């Protein structure tokens, strides 16, 4: 939302938050998903698949800065299971932040959300105080018909500029 940050908090629960230290994100391991915008913490976030996930039960979370035109910061959750699923219900997805353009891509591989929130994660983006945000409907992501969502900042808000079925 027009602000630059040098630090990010990568949540095991499928989102990124920005700020100082721990990402400036009180309650960043929150498992209570909700629609955007919402002033309740956590805020200032990019949420490719916010749900109660548990990488201690399997899978991994990785990130890297890719110096390639365009430069990007990629975070990937690979085969991370839902909490309390016994290591089952694994999920693979990415958040890709493109430097200089204000664009973000969410890419999805295999998703198997079932146990906790009825398989209903939050997908979207929200500003620092939770007053402006974009909530993306999840049905087409969860059924596999949409595997890539591209959001771009227009100086005021984020808008969906492209959705595809291209696999992760």
């Amino acid at each position: 939302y027009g602000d630059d940050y040098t630090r990010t908090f990568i949540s095991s629960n499928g989102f990124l938050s920005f700020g100082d230290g721990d990402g400036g994100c009180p309650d960043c391991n929150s498992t209570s998903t909700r629609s955007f915008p919402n002033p309740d913490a956590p805020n200032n976030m990019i949420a490719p698949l916010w749900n109660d996930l548990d990488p201690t039960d399997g899978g991994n979370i990785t990130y890297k800065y890719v110096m390639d035109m365009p430069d990007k910061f990629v975070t990937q959750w690979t085969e991370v299971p839902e909490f309390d699923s016994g290591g089952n219900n694994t999920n693979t997805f990415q958040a890709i932040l493109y430097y200089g353009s204000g664009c973000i891509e969410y890419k999805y591989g295999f998703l198997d959300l079932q146990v906790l929130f009825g398989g209903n994660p939050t997908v979207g983006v929200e500003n620092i105080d939770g007053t402006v945000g974009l909530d993306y409907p999840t049905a087409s992501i969860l059924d596999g018909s949409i595997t890539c969502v591209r959001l771009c900042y227009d100086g005021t808000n984020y808008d969906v500029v492209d959705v595809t079925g291209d696999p992760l």
Side-chain angles (χ1 to χ4, degrees), residues 7 9 13 27 34 58 75 78 117 121 164 167:
R7 301 183 87 156
F9 174 87
N13 289 323
D27 201 22
R34 55 176 165 69
T75 305
T78 304
F117 304 101
T164 66

Side-chain angles (χ1 to χ4, degrees), residues 45-106:
M45 62 194 298
I46 292 172
L49 197 75
W50 181 16
N51 203 51
D52 195 2
L53 304 175
D54 186 6
T56 65
D57 213 6
N60 61 62
I61 302 168
T62 57
Y63 64 91
K64 66 180 174 180
Y65 176 72
V66 179
M67 295 177 63
D68 190 13
M69 296 308 284
D71 291 356
K72 53 192 158 273
F73 180 76
V74 180
T75 305
Q76 180 161 322
W77 291 257
T78 304
E79 297 182 357
V80 178
E82 259 185 305
F83 180 77
D84 208 23
S85 71
N88 299 310
N89 305 348
T90 63
N91 303 278
T92 298
F93 56 97
Q94 292 179 336
I96 305 169
L97 286 62
Y98 291 91
Y99 287 101
S101 71
C103 292
I104 303 164
E105 278 185 351
Y106 300 151

Side-chain angles (χ1 to χ4, degrees), residues 124-142:
V125 61
E126 184 178 69
N127 73 347
I128 193 165
D129 60 5
T131 57
V132 180
L134 173 77
D135 202 29
Y136 189 82
T138 60
S140 58
I141 293 169
L142 296 176

Side-chain angles (χ1 to χ4, degrees), residues 1-3 5 34-40 42-47 104 106 122-136 151-159:
Y1 283 94
D3 295 320
Y5 295 95
R34 55 176 165 69
S35 296
F36 296 133
N38 188 309
D40 295 338
N43 298 113
N44 208 24
M45 62 194 298
I46 292 172
I104 303 164
Y106 300 151
T122 299
V123 173
V125 61
E126 184 178 69
N127 73 347
I128 193 165
D129 60 5
T131 57
V132 180
L134 173 77
D135 202 29
Y136 189 82
L151 312 170
C152 290
Y153 185 64
D154 66 8
T156 304
N157 205 351
Y158 275 90
D159 292 310

